[in-house]
Amino acid sequence: MNYRILLTIIFITIFSANIFAQKFTISGYVKDANTGEDLIGASVFVKSLSKGASTNTYGFFSLTLEKGTYEVSASFIGYSDFTKTITLDKPVKLNISLRPTSIATQTVVVTGEKSDQNVSGTQMGVVKMPIESIKTLPAFMGEVDILKTIQLLPGVQSGGEGNTGFYVRGGGPDQNLILLDEAVVYNASHLFGFFSVFNADAVKNVNLIKGGMPAQYGGRLSSVLDISMKDGNSHKYEVDGGIGIISSRLTVQGPIKKDTCSFIVSGRRTYIDVLVEPFVKKTAKAKGSGYYFYDLNAKLNYKFSDKDRLFISGYYGRDVFTFKRSDFGFNVEIPWGNATTSARWNHLFNDKLFVNTTAVFSDYQFSFGAEQNSFEFKLFSGITDYNAKVDFTYLPNVIHNIKFGANYTYHVFRPSSVSARIGDTNYDVSGIIKYFAHDAAIYINDEFDITERYKISYGLRGTTFIQVGPFDRFIKDEFGIVSDTIHYNPGEKVADYQRLEPRLSMRYSLNSKSSFKASYTQNYQYIHLASISSVSLPTDLWVPSSELVQPQYGTQYSFGYFRNFKDNLYETSVELYYKDMKNQIAYKDGALPGDDIGQNADNSFTFGQGWSYGIELFIKKRYGKTTGWIGYTLSETTRKFAEINNGEIYPAKYDRRHDISFIATHEFTENLSLSLIWVYATGNATTLAIGRYMIDGRIVNEYGPRNSYRMVSYHRGDISLTWIPKKSKERKVEESWNFSIYNFYNRYNPYFIYFQNEGNIYEGSLQTKAFQVSLFPILPSITWNFKF
């Protein structure tokens, strides 16, 4: 691909926008007055011109206007408004501090953004959720969970009962780009998917993009979940945390140098293993077995000047499962987890040009170790990324918002590697297998106000992916036996791909309260998750595109109508989408993870197509004593693989025809609030036996078409009560109590179905009965939260 074309487009876009640049600029940062935290998405505007801007991820804004006197306002939901009259006859630096308000009509909100952004913005399928709103909702086992909250949005479906895996508009779990302070998180769940890795106490903002993805994002087909960590209070020290039934958490933050340097450290650990251990008899056969997870978030930021700031953040989390049988001398240990580090430097060249330079390390590892007497077996897999990127924001005037930059990642893949030991003899079954790849992109995106009614966001992303050696390609004969090997030396090209990805979103305003929007996105995905299950598990393998594995390719078309009522108190929307996905990856029938040992992982894969289309309805009440939303999705998701289901189209495992969510929070007083969640979804698609036969004395099952059976529908209600005791003058501790009930009407939702034979086939009394397994009945929990 000729990157000169893309570089020429970038230059022309910037130059043409600058022709219309005005003479003077107002620029600065918007912060929380109490903590010094940057406010993401705050609105800074001039009412008389009906022009404005929103702050970026670092709280920066820029407005270029003609010479004159203006009344400049700043607002952010949950904060008091700011207004100042400015005589603009020279460039003006304006740093704004907004104070949180305790007014009842603004304390409990669903979103923290410009009040009419639902109607005025160009992007579709975008949801911004402040963490304080997420914390008010009922939580599974008392654990506030970001991923379970986004599953309540239309177009986003859960992976199953209690699972944090999510599927966006028919896409798979590997097609979601999950970022934590710009670092990719490859496995976002603890406890095999029942809790997410994100500690809500360390998170500032959650931004989900499920359609109309702008050009600065890429590498995935379906969605972007962009999570920002808190920077740390730059004004005073704070300690907060919580003690729940299964876990506790603690966060410490404060200034190292007031208004210049601050930090935050947040940790969390489960302790069921610790609580249960004293009650397990020393003679118990499984003594020493257990499970726990922990994670640690840390961040440091330093302000060198008004033009230069440095952010260093990190995450480290691990799950550890152990099983021991003393009577057999059998021990199993399964640890897995993520580690990320991000270093970001912000520089303000001038009041119109902002740059963020980032270096990222991201690592995911899974291992399995088993030992019995003198025999030992170990399996290991994972992926490591070394990433560097630079992102520019150029704001030449109030009608253009131009973003451009470049991104490079060096991937190191580690598919299943196995070693074994018998006595003193070691067996290196396959060695430590590693795949290597270069992944690069360059992009530009411009958000352009053509007129008062017409606004577009258009962009282009150029990508390249190269798999390199050292690498051995195992060639199989017609019997599936390796007959030859092609060796690639270190750095030698194995396979390479170059692609262009156009992006377009547009908005037509009917009036100040309603608009039509449309978007088109084209994405390529070069890394793939090979999974034998419908949910993301630690055993899943990440593999690169190769000469056998083509890049996944997806196109999405979206159209919607957006309408606000009663001075933006209510937001409503109707969105339609159609998504076409090519080069989808799946294991062949009968293949299992680990079959690739001693050969290439991609020899076990088959490839096909996928489709998804649907309609999403959404109504939200933004502020007041009672807030919340109702979402409904009507959709169909299908797959077609030549080597699965006889090449016939079949429903995807996570296909849901109907998906409904109802969320409400009511504030009785400033100290007492009640939250309610109710969800309904069409049952999971699964494959069951349709007949059983006796052949040579054995019962043989005949299975129906892939995913042709539907389990019964899923529905559940959760409720929580939050009580904040009044703070006395003598006590400096702020506290709150959260009482939650998960599945309060005790619905037995199906997790899976199994069959059991009863009777005797020779006597003609054999019967096969189906039994449903459900995971969670009614589950109450209590959490004490504190802050001082």
Side-chain angles (χ1 to χ4, degrees), residues 598-619:
Q599 59 168 305
N600 302 121
D602 50 18
N603 285 332
S604 299
F605 303 152
T606 183
F607 310 98
Q609 292 179 270
W611 300 269
S612 183
Y613 55 91
I615 181 171
E616 301 167 2
L617 309 178
F618 191 54
I619 179 170

Side-chain angles (χ1 to χ4, degrees), residues 196-217:
S196 78
V197 301
F198 304 111
N199 182 354
D201 288 350
V203 171
K204 174 169 61 176
N205 191 71
V206 179
N207 187 29
L208 174 69
I209 304 173
K210 55 183 178 175
M213 190 185 300
Q216 62 264 34
Y217 295 108

Side-chain angles (χ1 to χ4, degrees), residues 363-375:
D363 179 74
Y364 170 69
Q365 296 182 16
F366 167 82
S367 65
F368 172 91
E371 183 178 358
Q372 185 172 22
N373 300 324
S374 61
F375 175 76

Side-chain angles (χ1 to χ4, degrees), residues 28-30 39-45 51-63 73-76 112-117 120-121 128 393 395 398 401 403 447 455:
Y29 294 86
V30 180
L39 295 181
I40 302 171
S43 179
V44 182
F45 56 96
K51 297 292 184 182
S54 295
T55 56
N56 67 7
T57 307
Y58 303 96
F60 176 75
F61 74 93
S62 177
L63 280 172
S73 299
S75 66
F76 193 73
E113 59 185 1
K114 187 179 176 184
S115 59
D116 66 346
Q117 185 67 29
S120 62
K128 297 181 180 181
T393 300
L395 304 163
V398 293
N401 185 342
K403 295 180 180 180
E447 194 166 340
K455 186 176 184 178

Side-chain angles (χ1 to χ4, degrees), residues 280-287 326:
V280 179
K281 294 181 180 180
K282 293 182 180 180
T283 56
K285 295 179 180 179
K287 176 74 173 178
S326 57

